[in-house]
């Protein structure tokens, strides 16, 4: 298996622009997680899905952030409009329904200028 | 509310030394505890996962222990090598769904 796939790996955009981050979980995994990592706050969960349904979005910072999972093999995290404080590394992770170990993607490094 | 703390924030040791990284958590009713490694600019690699019913897990030179009663986990690295240099994070799930609460990490440097 190729593991969790994220794209793009790097994104540089200007304040106010829309940003879309993409994730393909490991095939057969029922859970998908979006995390954000910053120097100040470390790793934080933004939202997670179970069988394509959002379960907990309490970590989504503002209405500017939205996430979707239209099918079992694809999820997006959208920021509209983006702000400089959104600059961070965004990780996607997945895990099987039976089992607890989460597998992380390589991350998307977002820079908003 | 689950809180996870790692001490120390940074550690530097000479090659060959055995070392212990510490992780503490506030809610002892955890389902499991997972240790990760993160290399600079890279994603997270899962090292070991200890289920709540277990006391330790081993993988090669790594051994992770879990003491729920004291709210602590340790990651033991034997015969450290320069290639072990990375940031090590522990994480405990907030609930059975798997929302992980991460510690701030310990940045390990193994000097040749």
């Amino acid at each position: 298996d190729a593991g969790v796939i994220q794209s793009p790996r790097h994104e540089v955009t200007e304040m106010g622009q829309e940003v879309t981050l993409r994730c393909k979980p490991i095939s057969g995994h029922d859970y998908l997680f979006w995390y954000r990592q910053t120097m100040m706050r470390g790793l934080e969960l933004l939202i997670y899905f179970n069988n394509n349904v959002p379960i907990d979005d309490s970590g989504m910072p503002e209405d500017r952030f939205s996430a979707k999972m239209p099918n079992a093999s694809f999820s997006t995290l959208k920021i509209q409009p983006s702000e400089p404080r959104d600059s961070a590394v965004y990780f996607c992770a997945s895990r099987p329904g039976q089992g607890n170990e989460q597998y992380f993607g390589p991350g998307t490094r977002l820079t908003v200028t | 509310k689950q809180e996870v703390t790692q001490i120390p924030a940074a550690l530097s040791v000479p090659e060959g030394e055995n070392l212990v990284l510490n992780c503490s958590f506030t809610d002892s009713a955890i389902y499991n505890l997972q240790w990760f490694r993160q290399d600079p600019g890279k994603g997270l690699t899962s090292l070991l996962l200890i289920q709540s019913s277990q006391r330790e897990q081993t993988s090669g030179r790594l051994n992770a222990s879990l003491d729920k009663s004291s709210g602590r986990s340790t990651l033991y690295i034997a015969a450290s090598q320069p290639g072990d240099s990375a940031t090590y994070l522990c994480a405990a799930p907030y609930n059975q769904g798997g929302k992980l609460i991460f510690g701030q990490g310990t940045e390990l440097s193994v000097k040749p």
Side-chain angles (χ1 to χ4, degrees), chain A residues 45-47 56-61, chain B residues 99:
Chain A
L45 179 76
L46 300 176
I47 186 172
D56 184 345
D57 65 354
S58 59
M60 295 285 265
Chain B
K99 172 181 176 177

Side-chain angles (χ1 to χ4, degrees), chain B residues 30-104:
Chain B
I30 61 172
Y31 296 96
N32 57 71
L33 190 132
Q34 198 166 354
W35 282 92
F36 295 88
R37 168 185 173 140
Q38 185 174 29
D39 292 281
K42 304 291 186 181
L44 279 71
T45 301
S46 179
L47 297 174
L48 290 164
L49 183 144
I50 313 175
Q51 302 288 359
S52 61
S53 58
Q54 298 174 318
R55 290 190 64 85
E56 64 179 81
Q57 278 281 5
T58 298
S59 175
R61 295 181 295 108
L62 306 180
N63 176 278
S65 68
L66 177 64
D67 184 343
K68 292 173 59 178
S69 61
S70 66
R72 292 181 181 178
S73 175
T74 61
L75 180 66
Y76 174 84
I77 303 177
S80 59
Q81 304 170 358
D84 295 330
S85 298
T87 296
Y88 291 80
L89 299 115
C90 67
Y94 178 75
N95 54 30
Q96 199 164 11
K99 172 181 176 177
L100 287 177
I101 308 298
F102 280 85
Q104 288 291 82

Side-chain angles (χ1 to χ4, degrees), chain A residues 12-25:
Chain A
V12 180
T13 191
E14 293 183 348
M15 185 174 74
Q17 296 298 307
E18 177 179 297
V19 175
T20 299
L21 311 181
R22 297 172 176 79
C23 175
K24 176 178 169 56

